[in-house]
Amino acid sequence: MSVRGKWRVVETPDHDMAGSGSYLLFTNEGGEFALDCLTGAIHGRCEGDAVEFTWDGSDEMEPARGRGWAEQLADGSLEGEICLDGGDDIPFIARRLATSSTAC
């Protein structure tokens, strides 16, 4: 199992941030995320079924940064938390986005 890939955020318990455009993207060298108006670039290697990372980006168009973690569970979902320096800790649950290919 690997956290690498794009994930659709389906739930943010105690926060209303799991909109239709909410996602996390993990690559070998980092990634990015968007949770409502909180967006960021993920720094750190994303290998295996669990990852800890730092991030920087914006919260309602104001500079923001923090840390986070994510772990792939046995059922294939992703559980984790995005933490803002000096602010909220936002838990999330995500499901892997299905990829498709179309022959041209």
Side-chain angles (χ1 to χ4, degrees):
M1 293 193 301
S2 173
V3 299
R4 279 184 270 148
K6 193 166 186 179
W7 300 80
R8 180 175 56 88
V9 177
V10 295
E11 188 177 346
T12 52
D14 300 323
H15 295 81
D16 187 21
M17 301 176 82
S20 62
S22 295
Y23 73 92
L24 296 116
L25 172 66
F26 293 106
T27 66
N28 284 343
E29 301 298 323
E32 62 187 41
F33 69 89
L35 297 173
D36 195 30
C37 57
L38 175 65
T39 61
I42 293 171
H43 309 291
R45 296 191 60 82
C46 298
E47 297 176 328
D49 60 359
V51 63
E52 291 185 13
F53 55 87
T54 60
W55 64 271
D56 61 71
S58 65
D59 183 15
E60 296 184 4
M61 299 178 62
E62 294 293 326
R65 62 193 210 176
R67 59 185 167 66
W69 63 271
E71 178 179 13
Q72 191 170 5
L73 303 178
D75 69 359
S77 65
L78 189 71
E79 179 179 71
E81 197 168 52
I82 301 288
C83 306
L84 284 84
D85 285 352
D88 289 339
D89 295 346
I90 303 162
F92 65 82
I93 298 169
R95 305 259 186 257
R96 190 177 295 277
L97 281 171
T99 57
S100 64
S101 62
T102 305
C104 297

